[in-house]
């Protein structure tokens, strides 16, 4: 009986085992699909997270770039402003430089003008007729103008200029030369007595002056014009005696040889040595 039961149960057990054998692989496949789905979901979630993180980083980087752009724009604006200010400053400096140069040039011109005026006002040292002395600008101008008139045969104008200068400056260093030229002015005007007075003042007051020999010779010329040959002879002899080495003395010797005798016998006199 027991054997018959076993015999009947064996086919059932075999069938059940067969059924289990066919169910196991399918169930195993189902398990594997779930894990794959979970893995895929996990991967998708990770990718989503990574994408979100990357997007956040990109957004932050973009914000930084935008901030940097704004900073660059601000910096460029400041640079342009600085350039503009620098250009204005340079322009202002150039204007100031030109103004300064103009002021310096004007100042230099003014200084030169002042120096020239001061130089004209300051006494200047001159040498005339062997004498060195100081005169002011007006004094020199008046003397030169007067002598220029005489040389242009304007004897009256020259005489007036010389007399005016001597009256204004009685102690002028020109006084000896003024008397010499004043004598020539009177001689040119045929005012021989006035000429003699001017020449004689020079000879008497300044006998060592370089014009004294010529003045003494000119006195003799005036005396000849006045027909006073005896006085002229004495003047010529004085030239030879007082200034023997001068050119005036040589001229005086020649004239003495040709002058008529002043003695009663009418014999010519020897020239003074």
């Amino acid at each position: 009986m027991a054997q018959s039961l076993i015999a009947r149960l064996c086919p059932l057990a075999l069938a059940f085992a067969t059924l289990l054998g066919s169910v196991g692989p399918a169930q195993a496949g189902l398990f594997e699909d779930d894990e794959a789905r979970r893995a895929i979901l996990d991967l998708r979630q990770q990718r989503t997270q990574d994408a979100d993180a990357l997007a956040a980083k990109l957004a932050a980087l973009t914000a930084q770039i935008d901030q940097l752009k704004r900073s660059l724009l601000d910096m460029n604006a400041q640079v342009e402003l600085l350039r503009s200010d620098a250009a204005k400053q340079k322009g202002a400096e150039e204007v100031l430089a030109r103004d300064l140069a103009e002021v310096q040039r004007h100042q230099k011109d003014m200084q030169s003008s002042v120096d020239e005026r001061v130089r004209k006002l300051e006494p200047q040292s001159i040498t005339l007729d062997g004498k060195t002395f100081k005169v002011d600008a007006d004094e020199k101008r008046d003397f030169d103008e007067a002598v220029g008139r005489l040389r242009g045969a304007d004897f009256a104008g020259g005489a007036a200029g010389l007399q005016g200068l001597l009256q204004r400056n009685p102690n002028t260093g020109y006084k000896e030369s003024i008397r010499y030229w004043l004598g020539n002015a009177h001689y040119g005007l045929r005012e021989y007595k006035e000429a003699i007075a001017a020449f004689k003042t020079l000879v008497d007051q300044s006998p060592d002056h370089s014009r004294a020999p010529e003045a003494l010779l000119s006195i003799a010329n005036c005396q000849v014009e006045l027909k006073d040959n005896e006085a002229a002879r004495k003047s010529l002899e004085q030239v030879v005696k007082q200034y023997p080495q001068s050119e005036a003395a040589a001229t005086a010797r020649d004239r003495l040889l040709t002058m008529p005798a002043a003695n009663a016998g009418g014999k010519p006199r020897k020239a003074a040595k």
Side-chain angles (χ1 to χ4, degrees):
M1 185 174 177
Q3 292 180 350
S4 60
L5 180 58
I6 292 171
R8 285 191 297 209
L9 289 173
C10 284
L12 291 173
L14 182 59
F16 182 75
T18 301
L19 178 62
L20 288 176
S22 61
V23 172
Q27 186 66 34
L30 290 175
F31 290 152
E32 292 177 358
D33 289 341
D34 290 338
E35 291 177 357
R37 288 190 188 96
R38 282 195 299 272
I40 292 171
L41 291 175
D42 291 341
L43 181 60
R44 287 179 178 176
Q45 185 177 3
Q46 185 63 41
R47 288 183 177 179
T48 300
Q49 291 175 353
D50 292 343
D52 292 341
L54 181 60
K57 290 181 179 179
L58 289 174
L61 183 60
T62 301
Q64 292 177 0
I65 292 173
D66 291 340
Q67 181 63 34
L68 181 59
K69 286 181 179 180
R70 287 192 296 271
S71 298
L72 289 174
L73 290 175
D74 292 341
M75 186 179 295
N76 287 334
Q78 292 177 2
V79 169
E80 291 299 325
L81 182 60
L82 290 174
R83 286 179 179 174
S84 178
D85 291 341
K88 291 179 181 178
Q89 183 67 25
K90 183 178 180 180
E93 289 176 355
E94 291 176 352
V95 171
L96 288 175
R98 288 195 298 270
D99 291 344
L100 178 59
E102 182 64 21
V103 168
Q104 289 176 339
R105 186 191 64 78
H106 184 63
Q107 184 178 8
K108 183 178 180 181
D109 292 342
M110 289 182 62
Q111 186 64 42
S112 298
S113 178
V114 170
D115 291 344
E116 180 65 18
R117 291 179 182 178
V118 171
R119 186 187 64 79
K120 290 180 178 179
L121 293 174
E122 288 179 346
Q124 51 185 302
S125 180
I126 66 169
T127 299
L128 180 66
D129 296 333
K131 178 182 178 182
T132 300
F133 51 95
K134 289 186 175 182
V135 295
D136 58 39
D138 292 339
E139 197 176 351
K140 183 177 185 303
R141 184 194 64 240
D142 292 344
F143 178 81
D144 291 342
E145 287 180 357
V147 173
R149 287 178 179 272
L150 292 179
R151 288 173 174 166
D154 181 7
F155 302 114
L162 291 171
Q163 288 171 342
L165 177 57
L166 193 58
Q167 288 175 357
R168 291 189 299 274
N169 302 279
N171 296 318
T172 178
Y174 284 117
K175 60 185 177 182
E176 294 87 2
S177 298
I178 287 176
R179 292 188 177 109
Y180 173 78
W181 286 105
L182 192 56
N184 281 281
H186 287 303
Y187 186 88
L189 293 170
R190 298 184 180 182
E191 299 172 348
Y192 302 119
K193 291 182 180 180
E194 290 80 357
I196 290 173
F199 288 132
K200 191 173 186 303
T201 300
L202 170 58
V203 174
D204 291 345
Q205 294 185 359
S206 306
D208 295 330
H209 193 269
S210 63
R211 291 288 189 178
E214 297 178 49
L216 191 53
L217 183 62
S218 296
I219 289 175
N221 294 336
C222 292
Q223 291 166 338
V224 169
E225 295 292 340
L226 292 172
K227 309 300 182 182
D228 190 354
N229 291 334
E230 183 62 25
R233 179 180 290 277
K234 290 181 180 180
S235 296
L236 292 172
E237 289 174 348
Q238 184 180 353
V239 174
V240 174
K241 181 179 179 180
Q242 194 167 345
Y243 306 102
Q245 303 302 322
S246 65
E247 293 183 5
T251 302
R253 291 189 187 97
D254 293 339
R255 291 186 182 178
L256 285 170
L257 292 175
T258 60
M259 287 189 70
N263 59 348
K267 296 181 181 179
R269 298 174 60 183
K270 294 182 179 180
K273 295 183 181 179

